């Protein structure tokens, strides 16, 4: 079994996935994306996994798609690209994903980060969509997710110039939610994931889905989805437990039912 992805856990409800192609700055080749998709398949089915942290190395989260692999693909190869299914797997993963980003998050690496629900970055993180330098353009959501996250002015700037921005600028622009000392990024992401893992899983799942709907739907449809999701939770044992625990001044014991 190739080792492009290190899998640790789940521990306290958190699965840690570490991209492991240091020789290529974690460039996302088909094998690595396939391993990531398989790990997410297993994580979705495993009730012991409540949240997932994805990280890379201190030097690079991921420097994009593997350019050598891409160079070998012609038009038909791109039409039949198996990576598309792997990216779709990531996009439909129902449990929270936290990206712990140090170093380069470029091209597909920035797009991978943007598939996460919470993005935490080290002080040394660099974000960009440099595909334009290669005569191509973002292909895994960069034009859409980046625009939704930071607005069209900065998205245009990054995707049309290929320039990179710092973690500080990414925080200011709303691309990430927090900056940490580089050596503490993974620890902090795990701590956030553990907090989420301690909550009622169905409420977590529906909250994630509802927030995603805010990008996909108009306000009225989004509010309808929220109302329906809120109503569904009224039938759960965890809701009854959460409310009762508050009244009894104790910590709730959620079971996922
Ligand atoms: N692919 C393959 N190898 C890479 C790589 C990449 N993206 N990035 C770096 N490497 C390799 C380098 O070739 C070098 O290998 P050796 O020469 O040592 O064998 C090693 O990693 C270290 O890199 P450098 O020597 O270049 O390190 P530096 O610190 O000098 O520079 C850098 C770091 C990140 C600035 C530089 O490596 C760089 O500019 N890398 C390329 C960044 C880039 O252009 N990324 C965008 C790639 S295009 C799609 C889905 C996704 C995509 C497209 C379609 N579909 C589903 C349809 C995404 C496209 C992209 O991401």
């Amino acid at each position: 079994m190739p080792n492009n992805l290190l899998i640790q856990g789940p521990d306290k409800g958190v699965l840690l996935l570490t991209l492991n192609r240091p020789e290529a700055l974690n460039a996302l080749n088909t094998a690595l994306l396939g391993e990531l998709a398989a790990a997410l398949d297993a994580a979705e089915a495993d009730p012991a996994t409540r949240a997932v942290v994805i990280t890379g190395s201190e030097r690079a989260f991921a420097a994009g798609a593997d350019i050598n692999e891409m160079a070998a693909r012609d038009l038909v190869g791109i039409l039949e690209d198996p990576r598309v299914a792997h990216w779709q797997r990531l996009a439909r993963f129902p449990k929270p994903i936290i990206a712990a980003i140090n170093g380069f998050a470029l091209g597909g690496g920035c797009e991978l980060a943007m598939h996460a629900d919470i993005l935490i970055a080290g002080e040394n993180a660099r974000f960009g969509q440099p595909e334009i330098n290669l005569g191509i353009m973002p292909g895994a959501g960069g034009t859409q997710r980046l625009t939704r996250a930071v607005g069209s002015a900065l998205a245009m700037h990054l995707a049309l110039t290929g320039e990179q921005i710092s973690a500080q600028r990414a925080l200011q622009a709303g691309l990430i939610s927090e900056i940490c000392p580089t050596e503490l990024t993974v620890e902090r992401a795990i701590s956030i994931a553990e907090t989420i893992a301690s909550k009622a899983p169905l409420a977590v799942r529906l909250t994630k889905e509802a927030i995603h709907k805010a990008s996909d739907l108009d306000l009225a449809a989004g509010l309808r989805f929220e109302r329906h999701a809120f109503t569904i939770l009224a039938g759960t044992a965890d809701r009854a437990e959460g409310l009762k625990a508050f009244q009894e001044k104790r910590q709730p014991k959620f079971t996922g039912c």
Side-chain angles (χ1 to χ4, degrees), residues 21-28 33 59-60 62-70 78 81 83-85 87 104 106-109 111 128-131 133-134 136-141 164:
R21 294 191 69 215
E23 72 288 358
L25 303 186
N26 291 327
L28 303 165
L33 286 171
R59 187 168 170 213
D66 190 302
I67 295 173
N68 300 320
E69 195 183 58
M70 254 192 331
I78 287 176
D81 193 338
R83 293 175 308 161
V84 174
W87 283 104
F104 297 109
L106 302 178
E111 292 172 316
Q129 297 290 158
E131 291 89 339
N133 298 331
L134 303 169
I136 59 172
M137 62 177 284
Q164 300 173 11

Side-chain angles (χ1 to χ4, degrees), residues 44-255:
E44 180 171 354
D46 179 8
T49 296
R50 301 274 182 92
V52 174
V53 172
I54 300 180
T55 194
S57 68
E58 286 205 359
R59 187 168 170 213
F61 179 71
D66 190 302
I67 295 173
N68 300 320
E69 195 183 58
M70 254 192 331
R73 274 214 174 90
D74 59 8
L75 192 148
V76 174
I78 287 176
L79 270 177
E80 294 168 353
D81 193 338
R83 293 175 308 161
V84 174
H86 299 327
W87 283 104
Q88 285 168 346
R89 179 51 189 113
L90 259 166
R92 62 162 208 279
F93 187 67
K95 300 177 186 181
I97 299 178
I98 295 98
I101 305 148
N102 285 323
F104 297 109
L106 302 178
C110 188
E111 292 172 316
L112 174 61
M114 289 190 290
H115 276 73
D117 304 300
I118 300 176
L119 286 68
I120 304 294
E123 286 156 343
N124 73 341
R126 307 283 304 169
F127 297 85
Q129 297 290 158
E131 291 89 339
I132 199 78
N133 298 331
L134 303 169
I136 59 172
M137 62 177 284
T143 63
Q144 304 304 301
R145 289 194 179 87
L146 187 62
T147 306
R148 282 171 163 81
V150 305
S152 66
L154 184 57
M156 285 283 188
H157 188 115
L158 293 179
L160 293 178
T161 65
E163 288 175 9
Q164 300 173 11
I165 55 169
S166 65
Q168 200 60 49
R169 181 80 180 92
L171 180 67
Q172 202 182 43
L175 181 58
I176 62 174
S177 60
E178 198 174 309
I179 299 182
C180 312
T182 301
E183 64 282 8
L184 297 181
T185 315
V186 177
E187 197 178 305
R188 174 67 183 138
I190 289 174
S191 153
I192 293 169
E194 283 175 358
T195 299
I196 295 169
S198 73
K199 312 296 182 196
L202 291 169
V204 166
R205 182 178 178 143
L206 287 172
T207 301
K208 167 171 170 162
E209 204 175 338
I211 291 175
H212 277 288
K213 295 286 181 201
S215 308
D216 301 341
L217 301 176
D218 62 49
L219 181 61
L223 290 172
R224 260 198 316 277
F225 181 89
E226 183 188 87
R227 184 84 208 133
H228 291 155
F230 189 88
T231 306
I232 286 169
L233 290 179
T236 65
D238 278 347
R239 173 188 183 268
E241 165 63 7
L243 300 180
K244 192 155 169 268
F246 176 82
Q247 290 167 336
E248 292 172 359
K249 301 189 187 305
R250 60 174 173 81
Q251 288 301 310
K253 290 194 188 72
F254 295 124
T255 58

